[in-house]
Amino acid sequence: MGTAGAEGRTVRTVEDVMAMLDGLFAPGADRWSGGGADWWDAFYADRERAVPFFVAKPDESLVSYVERGLVPRTGRALDLGCGPGRNTLHLASLGYQVDGVDLSATAVRWAEERARETGAEGVHFLRGDAFADGTLEGPYDLVHDSGCFHHLPPHRRVGYLALLDRVLAPGGHFTLTAFAAGEGGMGSERPDADFYRLGGLEGGLAYTDTALRTVFGDLTPLEIRRMRDEPEDSDRFGEPFLWTALFRKP
C-alpha cells in the first residue's frame, strides 16, 4: 500500500486542526478568513444594492444600550466586521476611540469615505483578519459585532471566543447582532455537523437564545432579544429576523 496519506499526518496544533476543518468546505465557501476577502469585496462593490445594512444607520440595539446606561458612553471600542462603518461611526460620535476591522478592502474604503464626510474623529479602520495574530491589540471596553459571528463555521467559534477573552477588558461589554432561529428568523438551522457534510454554511448560521447563552457561557448575559423592526424613516437600523445580545465580561 502507498504511504502518501500517512506522510500527510502533519496536524500538531489547534490552528492545524482549524485549517484542516476549513478544508472540508467547498472552494469559495470561505467567508471567515483572509481567503474570503474577494467575496466580500464583490458583495460591497455595488453600493446601490437593496441590502438592509448598507444604510448609514447604527443598530437600534446599540443605540438603546447606550441610552439606557447598560454600556458606558465612552471608552475604547472594537467593531468586528465593520462593513461600511455605520456602527463604528456611531460609537465615535459618542466619544469612543473606535477600531473598525473588516476583511473587505472595498468595505473599509467606503467606511473611510463616510468618516471623512461626517468629520468623524477617534476612529481607525483596518482591513484585515481580526482573528489573525497581531491584527488587534486590546483592551477594549466594548466589542460590537453586527453580522460577523453568524458567518463563522462551528469550529471557528473557538478562535472567536479566544479573541474576546484576549481583547475585551475585565468588566467590558460585548454586543452582538446575529441571525435568529425560529419563526421570522433568518439563516440555516441545521445542526453544526451538517455544514461539514454540505461543504457550506447556507448563507449563515441561525442561533437560538439558548445557543447564544451556551456559546458565550463565560460571559454574563444582560439582555438577549429580537431586534426591533425600525421604520424606513428611522435613524436606526432594526430587523426582527436578528437577535441582539448584550454580555459583560466578569
Side-chain angles (χ1 to χ4, degrees):
M1 298 177 64
T3 61
E7 292 291 344
R9 303 201 197 285
T10 58
V11 172
R12 299 179 59 250
T13 67
V14 171
E15 193 51 43
D16 290 338
V17 174
M18 296 295 124
M20 181 178 67
L21 293 173
D22 284 346
L24 297 180
F25 288 87
D30 185 353
R31 305 285 184 271
W32 57 88
S33 76
D38 288 347
W39 190 93
W40 287 111
D41 281 339
F43 180 82
Y44 285 110
D46 182 2
R47 301 182 183 183
E48 303 304 317
R49 292 177 62 194
V51 176
F53 53 84
F54 276 11
V55 296
K57 302 177 182 181
D59 288 346
E60 63 84 6
S61 50
L62 184 60
V63 177
S64 173
Y65 296 148
V66 175
E67 288 183 342
R68 289 184 286 150
L70 297 178
V71 299
R73 286 183 172 270
T74 60
R76 189 163 181 242
L78 170 65
D79 188 5
L80 278 173
C82 66
R86 58 191 182 83
N87 290 302
T88 320
L89 297 179
H90 175 69
L91 289 170
S93 74
L94 298 175
Y96 277 93
Q97 298 292 312
V98 196
D99 291 336
V101 61
D102 201 282
L103 286 174
S104 169
T106 302
V108 167
R109 283 194 297 270
W110 190 359
E112 290 173 337
E113 289 176 24
R114 283 180 169 175
R116 287 192 295 269
E117 290 168 359
T118 60
E121 298 181 352
V123 60
H124 172 241
F125 290 106
L126 173 67
R127 204 298 298 175
D129 182 352
F131 307 104
D133 289 343
T135 301
L136 298 170
E137 291 188 15
Y140 293 99
D141 304 292
L142 172 65
V143 175
H144 182 63
D145 174 352
S146 186
C148 174
F149 176 69
H150 58 221
H151 287 296
L152 299 180
H155 64 282
R156 285 293 173 180
R157 292 183 204 131
V158 175
Y160 190 101
L161 294 173
L163 175 69
L164 287 182
D165 184 62
R166 180 170 62 84
V167 304
L168 187 59
H173 291 82
F174 168 58
T175 53
L176 175 70
T177 302
F179 289 152
E183 184 178 355
M186 188 174 179
S188 177
E189 298 187 21
R190 291 179 181 273
D192 281 352
D194 282 5
F195 298 111
Y196 299 94
R197 290 188 284 268
L198 292 168
L201 300 183
E202 297 188 321
L205 279 62
Y207 286 85
T208 64
D209 174 306
T210 300
L212 292 178
R213 292 175 186 274
T214 299
V215 171
F216 298 105
D218 291 336
L219 305 177
T220 302
L222 301 181
E223 181 175 274
I224 301 177
R225 61 170 172 83
R226 287 291 185 111
M227 183 175 259
R228 297 190 181 93
D229 191 8
E230 292 288 326
E232 188 173 342
D233 60 354
S234 173
D235 61 356
R236 309 174 185 189
F237 168 82
E239 292 286 353
F241 60 76
L242 298 166
W243 282 120
T244 177
L246 171 64
F247 297 87
R248 184 178 62 236
K249 185 175 181 178

